[in-house]
Amino acid sequence: APPAKPARLGLCAACHGEDGMARIPGAPNLAGQKLDYLREALRQYRDGRRDIPVMRAATGPLTDAELDQLAEWFSVQTPSRAAQ
Amino acid sequence: APPAKPARLGLCAACHGEDGMARIPGAPNLAGQKLDYLREALRQYRDGRRDIPVMRAATGPLTDAELDQLAEWFSVQTPSRAAQ
């Protein structure tokens, strides 16, 4: 079954889209990205190993479980060429 | 016209695939990723702002033009679900 929409998705979606296709310059597409990569990237943003202020602010309040819900959500979205 | 295959593609392809679909755990898919994001990410790896030793080693010898050829190559590849 596809994952339920994460409670925290709204904040991500402003830049990355609910569907994981980025809405703004500089933000990466996340649709179909590898789950393990997304899980690790979110932890790196949260703890500052990847030092991107907006991502640190967005992930700072989130639990491991919330990060994993978001990683799973984006990993199962289908990339679309239209948004490239 | 699609970009010519970059001279430096072989080193990337071992982990990310020539088609930008990752071959190993921990490596992200790059197919269809946004060009501006890829260009900036490669510079961050080369100068250490993104501190991933294997990526710093891989990008260290490359010129801006070579990085951009790689970014363009991967940005125009089509993501495939099969490799997820």
Side-chain angles (χ1 to χ4, degrees):
Chain A
K5 195 173 285 195
R8 302 293 197 152
L9 183 60
L11 188 59
C12 313
C15 299
H16 296 285
E18 282 206 1
D19 60 358
M21 298 306 290
R23 297 294 191 270
I24 62 164
N29 298 327
L30 303 178
Q33 188 52 275
K34 288 176 63 190
L35 177 59
D36 65 342
Y37 179 80
L38 291 177
R39 291 184 64 180
E40 177 62 14
L42 284 167
R43 283 161 177 71
Q44 291 176 346
Y45 284 127
R46 189 179 57 181
D47 69 20
R49 279 176 289 157
R50 283 181 75 170
D51 185 19
I52 305 292
V54 67
M55 284 301 300
R56 191 163 190 174
T59 55
L62 304 193
T63 65
D64 284 353
E66 288 174 323
L67 296 184
D68 289 348
Q69 287 164 7
L70 292 164
E72 184 180 5
W73 174 267
F74 286 116
S75 75
V76 301
Q77 302 304 307
T78 301
S80 79
R81 298 293 297 171
Q84 173 66 24
Chain B
K5 194 173 287 194
R8 302 293 196 153
L9 183 60
L11 189 59
C12 313
C15 298
H16 296 286
E18 282 206 2
D19 60 359
M21 300 306 290
R23 297 294 190 271
I24 62 164
N29 297 328
L30 303 178
Q33 188 52 276
K34 288 177 63 190
L35 176 60
D36 64 343
Y37 179 81
L38 291 177
R39 291 183 64 179
E40 177 62 14
L42 284 168
R43 283 162 176 68
Q44 291 177 346
Y45 284 126
R46 188 178 56 181
D47 69 20
R49 281 176 288 157
R50 282 182 74 172
D51 186 18
I52 306 291
V54 66
M55 284 301 299
R56 191 163 192 175
T59 55
L62 303 194
T63 65
D64 285 353
E66 288 174 324
L67 296 184
D68 289 349
Q69 288 164 5
L70 293 163
E72 185 180 4
W73 173 267
F74 286 117
S75 75
V76 301
Q77 302 304 308
T78 301
S80 79
R81 299 293 297 170
Q84 173 64 25

